[in-house]
Amino acid sequence: MPKIGRNDPCWCGSGKKYKDCHLSLEEKLAQYRRNGVKTPVRSMLKTKEQIEGIRQSANINVAVLDYVAEHIGPGVTTEQIDQWVYEQTTHLGGIPAPLGYNGFPRSVCTSLNDQVCHGIPSADDVLKEGDIINVDVSTIYKGYFSDSSRMFCIGTVSEEKRKLVDTARQCLEVGLKEVRPWGFLGDMGQAIHDFARENGYSIVREIGGHGVGLEFHEEPWVSYVSKKGSEMLMVPGMCFTIEPMVNMGRPDIFVDADNDWTVYTDDGLPSAQWEIQVLITENGYEVLAW
């Protein structure tokens, strides 16, 4: 980290002197580090200009999910959802972030029933009454990244599936109550895990949330089976996803050997996930994409 003089311009581009901008925050971070606390590095803290760019990307992401919500239903194929996402994203000036990412072949992830995440859209997957599906949209706009997903119940679903979907959404609300500057990611992680277990569900251990904004996936990695007071300190300027994967049965998962992408529950029971993108602010948080 380059050393900046107190009277030098702040690294964030605010135009203020360092002493009047980020100096006190970085001194506070240094004290936490001396006490053995895991803290974000400077590059993980988004500047005002970057935050505005991420917001614009998130606006597109939300608009695309809104379009899917208006059109999804029985008889729709997941390939059709992929076409909607590509057409709507590009129409609004964005680029679908999943397309070509590490070889991913589609513009969106569509995960049905016992698919936990990273489902690949297909003409063979036709939505029917009783299905639940996660549609995970990610957008690049002018170099800035956004990422959020929603669950959709297709037609009339069973009471068990409905409860799973509702509980997965409530996990986000429970987690958000623990999101605050100078708190720990583990505070949120334990709150989510406890709530899921109290309702009879499990949380996937191996896959978590992630930083996002300047890249599709950044630090920190965000666990939802963590402990209060553990993991990275939440600091103003951090931007990451909250996306616990809630399983009806056991937390165990496996990856499809044929496509090396799609993650399934090991016991074949359904899984549900909602994803939001949040920014840590001086006084709390801002949900950028839901």
Side-chain angles (χ1 to χ4, degrees), residues 216-259:
F216 194 175
H217 292 88
E218 306 171 357
E219 292 295 328
W221 186 78
V222 182
S223 170
Y224 308 106
V225 293
S226 47
K227 296 295 184 181
K228 188 176 179 65
S230 71
E231 305 295 326
M232 186 173 284
L233 195 70
M234 291 182 281
V235 176
M238 287 178 64
C239 186
F240 56 87
T241 65
I242 304 176
E243 48 176 317
M245 299 167 193
V246 184
N247 289 356
M248 186 178 288
R250 299 191 307 273
D252 308 280
I253 57 174
F254 70 92
V255 179
D256 189 316
D258 292 329
N259 64 38

Side-chain angles (χ1 to χ4, degrees), residues 16 53 67 73 78 115 135 191 195 211 217 226-227 255 274:
K16 298 179 181 179
Y67 184 92
T78 55
Q115 294 178 342
V135 178
F195 182 79
H217 292 88
S226 47
K227 296 295 184 181
V255 179
W274 299 75

Side-chain angles (χ1 to χ4, degrees), residues 24 47 68 138 151:
S24 61
T47 68
V68 172
S138 310
M151 290 298 301

Side-chain angles (χ1 to χ4, degrees), residues 13-240:
S14 65
K16 298 179 181 179
K17 292 180 179 180
Y18 180 49
K19 67 180 182 182
D20 298 323
C21 195
H22 272 86
L23 175 59
S24 61
L25 180 144
E26 292 192 339
E27 288 178 338
K28 189 172 183 178
L29 284 175
Q31 181 61 52
Y32 273 102
R33 282 193 293 272
R34 285 192 289 271
N35 291 331
V37 173
K38 186 177 181 181
T39 63
V41 297
R42 183 183 292 168
S43 61
M44 293 170 61
L45 306 181
K46 306 302 187 280
T47 68
K48 184 177 180 179
E49 179 182 355
Q50 291 167 346
I51 291 167
E52 182 53 36
I54 296 167
R55 281 199 190 103
Q56 292 177 20
S57 178
N59 288 340
I60 294 175
N61 212 73
V62 170
V64 172
L65 277 167
D66 286 346
Y67 184 92
V68 172
E70 292 169 3
H71 294 84
I72 199 169
V76 169
T77 67
T78 55
E79 182 178 67
Q80 181 64 64
I81 296 172
D82 181 70
Q83 292 172 357
W84 292 341
V85 170
Y86 180 82
E87 291 167 0
Q88 293 301 309
T89 302
T90 55
H91 173 71
L92 293 169
I95 300 169
L99 186 59
Y101 178 76
N102 289 340
F104 191 80
R106 299 290 187 170
S107 295
V108 66
C109 296
T110 52
S111 304
L112 269 167
N113 298 320
D114 64 332
Q115 294 178 342
V116 176
C117 61
H118 305 159
I120 299 176
S122 168
D124 297 329
D125 290 331
V126 183
L127 301 183
K128 62 183 184 299
E129 290 269 344
D131 283 337
I132 59 173
I133 183 171
N134 176 270
V135 178
D136 190 349
V137 174
S138 310
T139 302
I140 310 169
Y141 180 67
K142 296 183 177 180
Y144 295 104
F145 290 76
S146 54
D147 191 10
S148 60
S149 78
R150 299 179 194 171
M151 290 298 301
F152 297 99
C153 294
I154 307 303
T156 302
V157 304
S158 67
E159 182 179 343
E160 291 80 8
K161 282 185 174 179
R162 173 71 68 176
K163 183 188 174 189
L164 173 68
V165 170
D166 289 344
T167 301
R169 179 168 181 140
Q170 290 166 1
C171 279
L172 296 185
E173 296 165 356
V174 167
L176 278 172
K177 292 179 181 178
E178 301 299 326
V179 174
R180 62 180 63 89
W182 312 108
F184 292 90
L185 285 172
D187 301 348
M188 174 189 65
Q190 178 165 350
I192 288 173
H193 193 203
D194 289 350
F195 182 79
R197 292 180 65 186
E198 288 164 6
N199 282 275
Y201 302 118
S202 64
I203 297 287
V204 172
R205 301 172 297 241
E206 299 89 338
I207 308 172
H210 54 91
V212 60
L214 307 185
E215 300 289 344
F216 194 175
H217 292 88
E218 306 171 357
E219 292 295 328
W221 186 78
V222 182
S223 170
Y224 308 106
V225 293
S226 47
K227 296 295 184 181
K228 188 176 179 65
S230 71
E231 305 295 326
M232 186 173 284
L233 195 70
M234 291 182 281
V235 176
M238 287 178 64
C239 186
F240 56 87

